[in-house]
PDB file of all heavy atoms in Angstrom:
ATOM      1  N   ILE A  68     116.751 105.329 113.295  1.00  0.00           N
ATOM      2  CA  ILE A  68     116.480 104.421 112.210  1.00  0.00           C
ATOM      3  C   ILE A  68     117.332 103.161 112.266  1.00  0.00           C
ATOM      4  O   ILE A  68     117.386 102.325 111.390  1.00  0.00           O
ATOM      5  CB  ILE A  68     116.739 105.101 110.812  1.00  0.00           C
ATOM      6  CG1 ILE A  68     118.182 105.539 110.669  1.00  0.00           C
ATOM      7  CG2 ILE A  68     115.750 106.200 110.600  1.00  0.00           C
ATOM      8  CD1 ILE A  68     118.546 106.091 109.284  1.00  0.00           C
ATOM      9  N   GLY A  69     117.811 102.953 113.426  1.00  0.00           N
ATOM     10  CA  GLY A  69     118.732 101.747 113.603  1.00  0.00           C
ATOM     11  C   GLY A  69     118.008 100.375 113.370  1.00  0.00           C
ATOM     12  O   GLY A  69     118.640  99.408 112.923  1.00  0.00           O
ATOM     13  N   GLY A  70     116.708 100.346 113.605  1.00  0.00           N
ATOM     14  CA  GLY A  70     115.938  99.041 113.494  1.00  0.00           C
ATOM     15  C   GLY A  70     115.425  98.799 112.094  1.00  0.00           C
ATOM     16  O   GLY A  70     114.775  97.821 111.893  1.00  0.00           O
ATOM     17  N   PHE A  71     115.662  99.715 111.131  1.00  0.00           N
ATOM     18  CA  PHE A  71     115.135  99.586 109.816  1.00  0.00           C
ATOM     19  C   PHE A  71     116.190  98.879 108.913  1.00  0.00           C
ATOM     20  O   PHE A  71     117.318  99.226 109.043  1.00  0.00           O
ATOM     21  CB  PHE A  71     114.618 100.883 109.240  1.00  0.00           C
ATOM     22  CG  PHE A  71     113.517 101.531 110.049  1.00  0.00           C
ATOM     23  CD1 PHE A  71     113.740 102.517 110.999  1.00  0.00           C
ATOM     24  CD2 PHE A  71     112.235 101.096 109.908  1.00  0.00           C
ATOM     25  CE1 PHE A  71     112.701 103.026 111.729  1.00  0.00           C
ATOM     26  CE2 PHE A  71     111.245 101.577 110.584  1.00  0.00           C
ATOM     27  CZ  PHE A  71     111.424 102.581 111.513  1.00  0.00           C
ATOM     28  N   HIS A  72     115.745  98.116 107.959  1.00  0.00           N
ATOM     29  CA  HIS A  72     116.565  97.260 107.186  1.00  0.00           C
ATOM     30  C   HIS A  72     116.800  97.642 105.740  1.00  0.00           C
ATOM     31  O   HIS A  72     117.700  97.203 105.005  1.00  0.00           O
ATOM     32  CB  HIS A  72     116.121  95.805 107.232  1.00  0.00           C
ATOM     33  CG  HIS A  72     115.898  95.316 108.565  1.00  0.00           C
ATOM     34  ND1 HIS A  72     117.008  95.119 109.549  1.00  0.00           N
ATOM     35  CD2 HIS A  72     114.788  95.003 109.322  1.00  0.00           C
ATOM     36  CE1 HIS A  72     116.490  94.620 110.756  1.00  0.00           C
ATOM     37  NE2 HIS A  72     115.183  94.635 110.614  1.00  0.00           N
ATOM     38  N   LYS A  73     115.855  98.378 105.159  1.00  0.00           N
ATOM     39  CA  LYS A  73     115.816  98.723 103.752  1.00  0.00           C
ATOM     40  C   LYS A  73     116.389 100.075 103.339  1.00  0.00           C
ATOM     41  O   LYS A  73     116.368 100.457 102.253  1.00  0.00           O
ATOM     42  CB  LYS A  73     114.425  98.481 103.158  1.00  0.00           C
ATOM     43  CG  LYS A  73     113.934  97.042 103.228  1.00  0.00           C
ATOM     44  CD  LYS A  73     112.556  96.960 102.694  1.00  0.00           C
ATOM     45  CE  LYS A  73     112.088  95.480 102.767  1.00  0.00           C
ATOM     46  NZ  LYS A  73     110.762  95.251 102.193  1.00  0.00           N
ATOM     47  N   ILE A  74     116.787 100.818 104.307  1.00  0.00           N
ATOM     48  CA  ILE A  74     117.339 102.149 104.118  1.00  0.00           C
ATOM     49  C   ILE A  74     118.701 102.081 103.354  1.00  0.00           C
ATOM     50  O   ILE A  74     119.746 101.551 103.993  1.00  0.00           O
ATOM     51  CB  ILE A  74     117.460 103.046 105.345  1.00  0.00           C
ATOM     52  CG1 ILE A  74     116.044 103.200 105.939  1.00  0.00           C
ATOM     53  CG2 ILE A  74     118.073 104.370 105.050  1.00  0.00           C
ATOM     54  CD1 ILE A  74     116.078 103.878 107.305  1.00  0.00           C
ATOM     55  N   GLU A  75     118.732 102.600 102.094  1.00  0.00           N
ATOM     56  CA  GLU A  75     120.023 102.560 101.344  1.00  0.00           C
ATOM     57  C   GLU A  75     120.804 103.801 101.397  1.00  0.00           C
ATOM     58  O   GLU A  75     122.021 103.789 101.105  1.00  0.00           O
ATOM     59  CB  GLU A  75     119.649 102.256  99.945  1.00  0.00           C
ATOM     60  CG  GLU A  75     119.121 100.819  99.588  1.00  0.00           C
ATOM     61  CD  GLU A  75     120.190  99.744  99.789  1.00  0.00           C
ATOM     62  OE1 GLU A  75     121.406 100.117  99.570  1.00  0.00           O
ATOM     63  OE2 GLU A  75     119.783  98.628 100.139  1.00  0.00           O
ATOM     64  N   GLY A  76     120.195 104.943 101.765  1.00  0.00           N
ATOM     65  CA  GLY A  76     120.910 106.153 101.746  1.00  0.00           C
ATOM     66  C   GLY A  76     120.101 107.321 102.451  1.00  0.00           C
ATOM     67  O   GLY A  76     118.925 107.228 102.517  1.00  0.00           O
ATOM     68  N   ILE A  77     120.840 108.343 102.939  1.00  0.00           N
ATOM     69  CA  ILE A  77     120.136 109.430 103.535  1.00  0.00           C
ATOM     70  C   ILE A  77     120.686 110.643 102.661  1.00  0.00           C
ATOM     71  O   ILE A  77     121.874 110.904 102.589  1.00  0.00           O
ATOM     72  CB  ILE A  77     120.450 109.692 104.925  1.00  0.00           C
ATOM     73  CG1 ILE A  77     120.028 108.513 105.715  1.00  0.00           C
ATOM     74  CG2 ILE A  77     119.795 110.965 105.531  1.00  0.00           C
ATOM     75  CD1 ILE A  77     120.297 108.566 107.220  1.00  0.00           C
ATOM     76  N   LEU A  78     119.776 111.405 102.044  1.00  0.00           N
ATOM     77  CA  LEU A  78     120.153 112.515 101.212  1.00  0.00           C
ATOM     78  C   LEU A  78     119.649 113.861 101.863  1.00  0.00           C
ATOM     79  O   LEU A  78     118.614 113.892 102.538  1.00  0.00           O
ATOM     80  CB  LEU A  78     119.492 112.405  99.834  1.00  0.00           C
ATOM     81  CG  LEU A  78     119.748 111.071  99.126  1.00  0.00           C
ATOM     82  CD1 LEU A  78     118.895 111.042  97.863  1.00  0.00           C
ATOM     83  CD2 LEU A  78     121.148 110.897  98.742  1.00  0.00           C
ATOM     84  N   ILE A  79     120.439 114.885 101.716  1.00  0.00           N
ATOM     85  CA  ILE A  79     120.078 116.253 102.131  1.00  0.00           C
ATOM     86  C   ILE A  79     119.241 116.892 101.065  1.00  0.00           C
ATOM     87  O   ILE A  79     119.545 116.998  99.927  1.00  0.00           O
ATOM     88  CB  ILE A  79     121.238 117.142 102.428  1.00  0.00           C
ATOM     89  CG1 ILE A  79     122.281 116.370 103.368  1.00  0.00           C
ATOM     90  CG2 ILE A  79     120.866 118.457 102.996  1.00  0.00           C
ATOM     91  CD1 ILE A  79     121.653 116.058 104.756  1.00  0.00           C
ATOM     92  N   GLY A  80     118.014 117.390 101.528  1.00  0.00           N
ATOM     93  CA  GLY A  80     117.015 117.939 100.618  1.00  0.00           C
ATOM     94  C   GLY A  80     117.391 119.330 100.138  1.00  0.00           C
ATOM     95  O   GLY A  80     118.333 119.937 100.683  1.00  0.00           O
ATOM     96  N   GLY A  81     116.482 119.876  99.369  1.00  0.00           N
ATOM     97  CA  GLY A  81     116.665 121.236  98.909  1.00  0.00           C
ATOM     98  C   GLY A  81     115.731 122.185  99.638  1.00  0.00           C
ATOM     99  O   GLY A  81     115.243 121.821 100.751  1.00  0.00           O
ATOM    100  N   GLU A  82     115.581 123.461  99.154  1.00  0.00           N
ATOM    101  CA  GLU A  82     114.920 124.422  99.851  1.00  0.00           C
ATOM    102  C   GLU A  82     113.419 124.195  99.810  1.00  0.00           C
ATOM    103  O   GLU A  82     112.580 124.625 100.602  1.00  0.00           O
ATOM    104  CB  GLU A  82     115.142 125.803  99.164  1.00  0.00           C
ATOM    105  CG  GLU A  82     116.621 126.266  99.466  1.00  0.00           C
ATOM    106  CD  GLU A  82     116.844 126.520 100.952  1.00  0.00           C
ATOM    107  OE1 GLU A  82     116.014 127.047 101.637  1.00  0.00           O
ATOM    108  OE2 GLU A  82     117.902 126.185 101.447  1.00  0.00           O
TER     109      GLU A  82
END
Side-chain angles (χ1 to χ4, degrees):
I68 61 174
F71 296 102
H72 307 291
K73 296 182 180 179
I74 297 173
E75 291 290 334
I77 302 178
L78 308 171
I79 305 300
E82 292 296 320

